[in-house]
Amino acid sequence: MNNSQTHRLWPWPGFPTSSKALGSFGDANCMEQLLVYCANAIENNDATLSHQILWVINNIASPDGDSNQRLTCAFLRALIVRAAMIGTSEIVTAMARAMNYPNLAPQTHRFSVLELANFVDLTPWHRFGFTAANAAILDAVEGYSAIHIVDLSLTHCMQIPTLIDAIATRLDGPPLIKLTVAGLIEDIPPIVDLFSYDEMGLKLVNFARSRNISLVFKVIPCSSSDGFARLIEYLRILQQQQQLLAAHDEALVINCQMTLHCIPDETAINITNSDSPYNSFSSSCPVSSSSSSTSPLSARAMFLKAIRSLNPTTVVLVDEDAYFTTNDLVDRLRSAFNYLWIPYDTVDTFLPRGSKQRQWYEAYIRWKIENVIAHEGFDRVERQEPKGRWAERMREANFRAVAFGEAAATEVKIMLDEHAAGWGSKKAEDNLVLTWKGHNVVFATAWVPA
């Protein structure tokens, strides 16, 4: 089909209208199917069909409706953005104007530090990872006189004060803490309208001092698009310098909080041995026999390989248990639709309609949806993989999993008691998993060199 075809009346030939195909008109299954047909029409450059489906969705998915309607509306906007970006047709762009979307780009809020702290506290989405990771880190660093924490996080060190508090109370006395932060140069929400990393570091140093802990703060500006190459290079050089000094008792903790999915995977542009920023030391990185020595490695695989070469005391990996990496738009849309209903469903339990916080929260979700649906290549940073795939990656990089203890599970349950009744947690093999109404949301894992 193409732009020259005549206008088709609703329902148009070939479009399923039975309840078996679509479900009840307006329910989640129906909306998902409509979005899939719309995505296919856009990808096939079928302007007439795109226009008609967009019109139908717009009339049943209100931006102020229930959670399914708001979710569908967000996907609708993302599809229009995609159509406009790839130049599918002027008709789709005209449809966007007719739907009163003069600015389709999601207006994400720039948080103050206090606003971000409140945002993080709204749900267990981030707090779960903080709680589980802190418990794993405390177990791993017991007995060390110095702890070097490398923090890769999108929440600008919001986890660190509670970790400092916990370390300060350990029986063998407070250690020296070195904190190295990956300062992302990309604007990936939630975005803090602030201050500088130096100011943040000073606040953390003063907070640690109030707990009788000496803290050394360092920020390394870097990018997820090249696998945090500058951070890896800094850690490699630092480790070489330390090896020239007398042996000292220092734990190395790599804390990855919902950032590794931003590193390009195999569906993006591969980093080959010829142009990799890692190749100066990749030959010394131990990898398992299951890794292929002939296939080019993605930035994601190279990052884990490089981390393994540093021989860390522990690596904590926390991320969303979803699958957004496929290059097939329809598969990606289905996966995202069947995962990102969760934040829309949860927001109804704790924020009133019309509140500023709710607007900020849902703008953040809309940004994620647009990034998953409308963008490709390095611009698409929302490339989540399920916990099973991350476990494979870690094992391929020669790590082995460490199970969370009962103390960690108990801490998580205590934290969840502060939130709505739909939240829960479970152990899945060596993982801890956050759930909403029984559906997996976020997983936490801990790893050590094999």
Side-chain angles (χ1 to χ4, degrees):
M1 296 182 183
N2 54 49
N3 295 354
S4 64
Q5 287 186 289
T6 58
H7 181 77
R8 287 164 293 194
L9 298 177
W10 167 270
W12 48 87
F15 186 85
T17 57
S18 68
S19 60
K20 184 176 181 180
L22 283 176
S24 300
F25 201 65
D27 71 6
N29 182 64
C30 170
M31 292 179 175
E32 179 187 354
Q33 291 290 69
L34 286 171
L35 290 168
V36 166
Y37 291 127
C38 186
N40 275 322
I42 290 173
E43 294 302 282
N44 292 329
N45 199 29
D46 188 340
T48 304
L49 184 55
S50 301
H51 182 278
Q52 290 182 325
I53 304 176
L54 286 168
W55 181 86
V56 172
I57 300 173
N58 186 52
N59 279 277
I60 63 174
S62 168
D64 299 319
D66 62 27
S67 58
N68 281 332
Q69 291 176 325
R70 302 197 310 277
L71 171 69
T72 304
C73 185
F75 275 86
L76 176 63
R77 294 171 66 109
L79 284 172
I80 295 172
V81 171
R82 182 179 181 89
M85 288 177 66
I86 65 177
T88 299
S89 72
E90 294 179 359
I91 296 177
V92 175
T93 305
M95 186 66 182
R97 289 196 294 268
M99 294 159 64
N100 296 318
Y101 293 158
N103 185 359
L104 285 169
Q107 301 300 301
T108 52
H109 181 66
R110 301 186 74 89
F111 293 89
S112 69
V113 176
L114 182 58
E115 286 172 345
L116 180 61
N118 290 332
F119 176 82
V120 167
D121 284 343
L122 287 174
T123 74
W125 208 281
H126 291 284
R127 293 187 68 200
F128 164 80
F130 295 171
T131 304
N134 285 353
I137 291 170
L138 285 173
D139 286 343
V141 303
E142 185 175 355
Y144 284 91
S145 60
I147 305 169
H148 185 185
I149 302 168
V150 180
D151 189 54
L152 295 94
S153 169
L154 296 180
T155 54
H156 308 277
C157 295
M158 286 291 163
Q159 172 188 351
I160 300 303
T162 54
L163 180 57
I164 290 174
D165 257 340
I167 292 175
T169 60
R170 71 181 201 175
L171 297 178
D172 51 350
L176 167 68
I177 296 180
K178 301 175 183 178
L179 176 61
T180 300
V181 174
L184 277 174
I185 61 176
E186 299 98 342
D187 274 346
I188 300 176
I191 302 169
V192 176
D193 188 19
L194 73 356
F195 88 62
S196 64
Y197 276 106
D198 289 338
E199 183 177 347
M200 180 175 71
L202 181 60
K203 290 179 181 295
L204 288 171
V205 168
N206 289 335
F207 177 80
R209 185 179 296 121
S210 72
R211 302 299 190 270
N212 296 317
I213 288 179
S214 295
L215 175 69
V216 178
F217 179 87
K218 178 75 174 179
V219 61
I220 305 296
C222 51
S223 171
S224 62
S225 64
D226 64 4
F228 299 100
R230 288 187 63 185
L231 174 67
I232 293 295
E233 183 68 9
Y234 167 78
L235 295 173
R236 182 181 69 88
I237 293 173
L238 182 65
Q239 194 171 76
Q240 289 176 343
Q241 292 172 344
Q242 290 175 339
Q243 288 171 353
L244 298 176
L245 303 174
H248 62 287
D249 189 27
E250 181 176 296
L252 175 61
V253 174
I254 311 295
N255 182 48
C256 307
Q257 291 280 339
M258 298 195 187
T259 50
L260 297 199
H261 73 254
C262 297
I263 301 176
D265 66 312
E266 290 79 2
T267 63
I269 301 172
N270 281 341
I271 291 181
T272 64
N273 287 336
S274 61
D275 59 7
S276 170
Y278 298 108
N279 61 8
S280 62
F281 61 98
S282 61
S283 60
S284 64
C285 301
V287 293
S288 70
S289 57
S290 62
S291 299
S292 171
S293 59
T294 57
S295 301
L297 296 177
S298 69
R300 196 166 291 187
M302 291 296 286
F303 171 82
L304 296 178
K305 184 180 178 184
I307 287 295
R308 176 61 183 86
S309 74
L310 299 172
N311 198 33
T313 308
T314 188
V315 177
V316 179
L317 170 55
V318 176
D319 219 316
E320 295 164 327
D321 196 8
Y323 178 56
F324 299 163
T325 59
T326 176
N327 279 334
D328 184 278
L329 175 63
V330 169
D331 286 346
R332 205 160 70 231
L333 185 151
R334 287 189 183 278
S335 182
F337 189 87
N338 286 283
Y339 177 78
L340 291 171
W341 69 270
I342 296 173
Y344 275 101
D345 195 47
T346 63
V347 74
D348 290 333
T349 67
F350 62 87
L351 288 176
R353 294 190 181 190
S355 70
K356 285 292 185 183
Q357 281 189 316
R358 180 157 172 162
Q359 292 174 16
W360 300 342
Y361 186 82
E362 295 200 356
Y364 169 64
I365 308 168
R366 290 195 299 271
W367 179 91
K368 290 173 75 73
I369 292 171
E370 181 186 309
N371 191 262
V372 171
I373 299 302
H375 296 274
E376 298 294 349
F378 286 133
D379 290 334
R380 176 155 58 89
V381 298
E382 292 294 303
R383 293 175 173 270
Q384 283 82 349
E385 292 184 311
K387 63 181 184 300
R389 178 61 184 127
W390 278 113
E392 291 176 7
R393 289 189 181 279
M394 295 299 290
R395 287 192 291 266
E396 288 168 359
N398 204 25
F399 287 96
R400 65 175 177 84
V402 177
F404 287 90
E406 288 303 318
T410 300
E411 287 293 323
V412 166
K413 289 179 180 178
I414 292 172
M415 181 272 297
L416 292 180
D417 287 342
E418 302 174 18
H419 296 279
W423 292 105
S425 64
K426 65 182 181 181
K427 283 188 175 182
E429 296 179 342
D430 295 321
N431 308 317
L432 279 179
V433 181
L434 174 70
T435 63
W436 171 254
K437 296 180 179 179
H439 297 270
N440 289 8
V441 181
V442 176
F443 67 90
T445 56
W447 301 84
V448 296

